[in-house]
Amino acid sequence: MITAQGMLDTLTDHGHALVTGVPCSYFAGPLRLLDRGVGPRYIPAVNEGSAIAIAAGAQLGAELPVVLAQNSGFGNMINPLTSLVLPYRVPMTVMVSMRGWPTASAGEPQHHWMGRTVPGWLDSLDVSHWMLTADGPSLSDLLGRARPVLDDGQPAFILVAKGAIADDAPAPEAPSDARPTRDEVVTALLAEVGDAHVLSTTGYLSRSLFNHGDRARNFYMQGSMGHVSGIALGAALARPESRFVVLDGDGAVLMHMGVMATVGANAPSNLTHVVFDNGVYDSTGGQRTGCSHTDFASAAIACGYRDARTVETIDALRGALRSALAASGPIAIVVRGAAGGTAGERASNNLPVAEIGARFRDSLAVAAHQPGGRVPA
């Protein structure tokens, strides 16, 4: 096992001047240090494909980059990897955490497939890769093996097993913050949504929704980060007689922000999009998103939402929800919230994810046959 500081020192010793990527808890210790300015220059990316592009640009500018990502986002890398990195011969080191390897836990079935397929995919692309484990070859040794590959103009992947990198960097002191917490936002939302169907993004927001108000009309998304608003759009267009509320996070919205334009273009009148903006990825260790200047409400309006507003108190949130649910959407409500808070239990520790999907589907079928008609346009 290598320490968090040891990992950054090793990267620096091997000439890596820039780190970019999307957080994973396997890298929580090094990421805390990078956030504080320790080690190579750090650029948080909105998704794994963007991280590959940022790294490619850095390498073209004569800096040797490292990309950090988890294997659940490997699919986001495929296009820039095969369309940019390989044909243009842009070398870079990519460190990918192996969630679900060698087997996925019962509560995280979304990691089952990616936990076993990444090495085979890399083999099919003729991309060199090695495994970093707690008791295997050192990171320095693997970076040494990767050097001839980089010198040949090719990418090199280091697949990181759980526990290979210590989470030993001290967490920063939590700042005093009077903004709403995640649990307070979820509790307020549940008090206002009535019989609306609620879809929550992956991570702690889904855990909070499950623990504070589990019901068949809730869809808890695990994995597929950034796609919950797309799921809600499809459901809202398929079931115009029902109301839908999306409970999203700032990091998740950033990952696939273009879907907001699709929501605006299709203008579902029965959709309300709530974005909890606390500036960090809480479920992977509280790393900053790197997009503190992003104005999600203005972005929603620019994408064609009929209305959007930003709130900073629970009273303002409840009022905004009441107005939105009585009006024609799509409407965005951005909640400036506080980072941190307890995680709570995963829904999938109590319900198989297939059952979560099935009961949500059944609740929509029941709603379709209830009196009340369509949501006003």
Side-chain angles (χ1 to χ4, degrees):
M1 179 185 291
I2 188 169
T3 66
Q5 184 67 60
M7 173 181 156
L8 300 186
D9 290 344
T10 302
L11 292 177
T12 300
D13 290 344
H14 284 261
H16 294 86
L18 177 140
V19 177
T20 184
V22 179
C24 175
S25 59
Y26 286 22
F27 301 118
L31 285 167
R32 287 196 197 98
L33 296 178
L34 288 166
D35 260 345
R36 300 208 306 260
V38 177
R41 182 153 49 100
Y42 176 50
I43 301 176
V46 295
N47 62 49
E48 296 81 2
S50 293
I52 294 288
I54 292 166
Q59 199 283 328
L60 291 172
E63 282 192 344
L64 189 59
V66 175
V67 172
L68 302 182
Q70 64 173 272
N71 57 348
S72 60
F74 185 80
N76 289 333
M77 296 184 186
I78 291 295
N79 177 264
L81 181 62
T82 58
S83 300
L84 171 63
V85 171
L86 293 175
Y88 285 84
R89 299 183 63 81
V90 182
M92 64 181 63
T93 302
V94 184
M95 298 182 67
V96 179
S97 62
M98 292 296 287
R99 294 289 191 97
W101 181 87
T103 57
S105 66
E108 296 186 296
Q110 74 274 17
H111 294 309
H112 169 73
W113 290 272
M114 297 306 292
R116 60 182 183 174
T117 59
V118 170
W121 281 6
L122 291 172
D123 287 339
S124 73
L125 297 172
D126 294 323
V127 172
S128 298
H129 59 90
W130 300 269
M131 181 69 76
L132 178 67
T133 62
D135 56 359
S138 69
L139 177 60
S140 183
D141 181 44
L142 297 184
L143 290 173
R145 297 185 201 180
R147 174 59 68 170
V149 175
L150 300 178
D151 290 344
D152 190 42
Q154 300 297 320
F157 276 64
I158 296 176
L159 309 181
V160 180
K162 186 175 183 179
I165 301 168
D167 182 7
D168 59 349
E173 291 186 12
S176 176
D177 199 337
R179 293 177 299 176
T181 66
R182 182 192 323 110
D183 285 349
E184 289 171 342
V185 167
V186 168
T187 300
L189 183 143
L190 286 168
E192 299 294 343
V193 295
D195 62 357
H197 290 77
V198 180
L199 300 93
S200 54
T201 189
T202 189
Y204 287 177
L205 281 169
S206 275
R207 295 194 191 194
S208 185
L209 181 63
F210 171 75
N211 284 285
H212 287 276
D214 178 44
R215 56 185 193 146
R217 293 184 181 224
N218 293 349
F219 182 86
Y220 313 109
M221 194 179 77
Q222 290 194 190
S224 305
M225 185 172 172
H227 290 297
V228 71
S229 57
I231 300 170
L233 172 62
L237 295 175
R239 294 293 189 184
E241 72 281 347
S242 294
R243 279 281 183 185
F244 295 87
V245 176
V246 180
L247 181 56
D248 219 336
D250 54 332
V253 172
L254 289 166
M255 182 164 278
H256 294 293
M257 201 165 181
V259 75
M260 293 180 73
T262 309
V263 172
N266 286 274
S269 62
N270 54 339
L271 182 63
T272 299
H273 191 173
V274 178
V275 180
F276 182 65
D277 179 11
N278 65 356
V280 300
Y281 298 101
D282 261 334
S283 65
T284 57
Q287 301 87 6
R288 60 190 172 91
T289 62
C291 299
S292 59
H293 299 296
T294 302
D295 185 339
F296 291 103
S298 294
I301 292 296
C303 286
Y305 282 56
R306 286 183 170 143
D307 192 14
R309 64 190 71 182
T310 300
V311 300
E312 298 188 359
T313 68
I314 291 299
D315 286 345
L317 170 61
R318 294 190 64 167
L321 280 167
R322 285 192 293 271
S323 296
L325 291 168
S328 181
I331 294 173
I333 302 171
V334 181
V335 187
R336 299 283 191 187
T342 57
E345 191 173 11
R346 287 189 189 93
S348 58
N349 287 344
N350 298 270
L351 297 167
V353 293
E355 182 179 336
I356 293 170
R359 68 178 196 168
F360 185 80
R361 186 185 301 111
D362 290 345
S363 75
L364 280 171
V366 170
H369 293 92
Q370 291 178 341
R374 298 164 65 96
V375 174

